[in-house]
């Protein structure tokens, strides 16, 4: 990534400008040279000499510094032997280790859902130094495919009873939340007795059966029998 310095560099103790650049990035320093160099036209001189004291740390071409590895070097610009040869300027460049993801924290860490219910998960990404955080990628644990659904935005939906993990990953770091899907309490929806209107003689008998229909596929409770006319039955 290339960036352009938008203000004068801070100065080190010996009066030389200082610039900090993450490794792998580039920074344009030509616009921050002393006014004398700009007035003399040195920065536009195609024969201007740019060089780095340590090219293993950073290289420079035409005022564009490429940071290679963490460390320190000095970038120097001077006029050619024919033009403004006594004019020069320098910048101390510190190449920093690129910021990395220090941690990823998922919230909530645990949750319970019913089938069909949804929940928006959240992930907080902390960087090792001030820098934009990379995007978060959401995934499920291996056993969770039939238990929970998950979108790319971290919305989890209950499918069937069980417990599955939701994983948030960013910059090589990850954290896992555990989602438990439970069936709603079963209720008796209906009781059907057969036969509906049997006819029997005095002293006779008939066998009745009862079919119990439950919600959510629950186990039916035991059936109890009674009569509304004890003098008859």
């Amino acid at each position: 990534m290339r960036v352009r310095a938008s203000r004068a560099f801070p100065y080190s103790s010996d009066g030389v400008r200082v610039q900090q650049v993450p490794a792998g990035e580039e920074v344009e320093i030509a616009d921050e040279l002393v006014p004398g160099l700009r007035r003399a036209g040195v920065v536009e001189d195609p024969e201007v000499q740019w060089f780095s004291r340590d090219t293993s740390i950073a290289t420079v071409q035409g005022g564009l510094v490429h940071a290679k590895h963490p460390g320190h070097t000095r970038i120097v610009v001077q006029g050619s032997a024919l033009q403004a040869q006594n004019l020069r300027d320098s910048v101390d460049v510190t190449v920093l280790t690129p910021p990395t993801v220090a941690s990823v924290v998922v919230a909530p860490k645990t949750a319970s859902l019913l089938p069909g219910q949804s929940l928006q998960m959240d992930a907080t990404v902390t960087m090792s130094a001030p820098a934009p955080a990379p995007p978060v990628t959401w995934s499920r644990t291996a056993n969770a495919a039939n238990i929970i659904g998950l979108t790319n935005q971290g919305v989890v939906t209950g499918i069937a009873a069980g417990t599955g993990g939701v994983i948030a990953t960013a910059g090589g770091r990850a954290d896992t939340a555990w989602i438990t899907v439970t069936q709603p309490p079963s209720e008796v929806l209906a009781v059907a007795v057969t036969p509906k209107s049997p006819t029997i003689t005095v002293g006779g008998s008939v066998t009745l059966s009862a079919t119990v229909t439950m919600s959510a596929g629950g186990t039916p409770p035991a059936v109890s029998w009674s009569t509304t006319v004890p003098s008859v039955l």
Side-chain angles (χ1 to χ4, degrees):
M1 183 177 75
R2 180 181 299 185
V3 296
R4 178 178 293 276
S6 60
R7 58 183 176 81
F9 300 126
Y11 286 89
S12 62
S13 58
D14 60 0
V16 178
R17 293 175 176 84
V18 178
Q19 175 72 12
Q20 294 182 333
V21 189
E25 295 192 2
E26 295 178 330
V27 61
E28 176 66 68
I29 66 172
D31 289 348
E32 293 299 331
L33 299 176
V34 294
L37 280 175
R38 292 202 299 270
R39 286 197 302 270
V42 175
V43 293
E44 285 79 24
D45 182 354
E47 298 182 33
V48 162
Q49 300 164 352
W50 294 87
F51 61 92
S52 169
R53 295 281 176 83
D54 188 341
T55 56
S56 68
I57 302 299
T59 58
V60 60
Q61 184 176 8
L64 182 65
V65 176
H66 175 68
K68 298 174 66 177
H69 299 287
H72 306 275
T73 187
R74 178 167 292 184
I75 303 298
V76 179
V77 59
Q78 62 187 17
S80 66
L82 299 177
Q83 298 185 34
Q85 59 183 346
N86 294 324
L87 293 176
R88 60 187 293 137
D89 196 12
S90 61
V91 175
D92 273 352
V93 172
T94 298
V95 179
L96 307 174
T97 300
T100 58
V101 174
S103 66
V104 177
V105 178
V106 176
K109 294 295 289 182
T110 61
S112 294
L113 297 175
L114 297 175
Q117 283 189 325
S118 296
L119 174 67
Q120 174 67 64
M121 304 298 294
D122 182 59
T124 301
V125 180
T126 302
M127 302 297 293
S128 61
V136 173
T137 301
W138 295 93
S139 61
R140 295 172 294 187
T141 55
N143 70 319
N146 296 324
I147 299 172
I148 53 175
L150 183 65
T151 70
N152 293 335
Q153 291 72 42
V155 177
V156 60
T157 302
I159 297 177
T163 299
V166 175
I167 306 169
T169 304
R173 301 274 185 174
D175 191 24
T176 303
W178 295 98
I179 309 298
T180 298
V181 180
T182 58
Q183 293 289 350
S186 297
E187 296 179 354
V188 175
L189 298 180
V191 178
V193 176
T194 57
K196 295 293 292 181
S197 301
T199 299
I200 59 176
T201 61
V202 175
S205 65
V206 66
T207 300
L208 302 176
S209 64
T211 301
V212 181
T213 302
M214 302 294 296
S215 65
T219 301
V223 176
S224 61
W225 297 90
S226 62
T227 178
T228 60
V229 187
S231 63
V232 176
L233 295 175

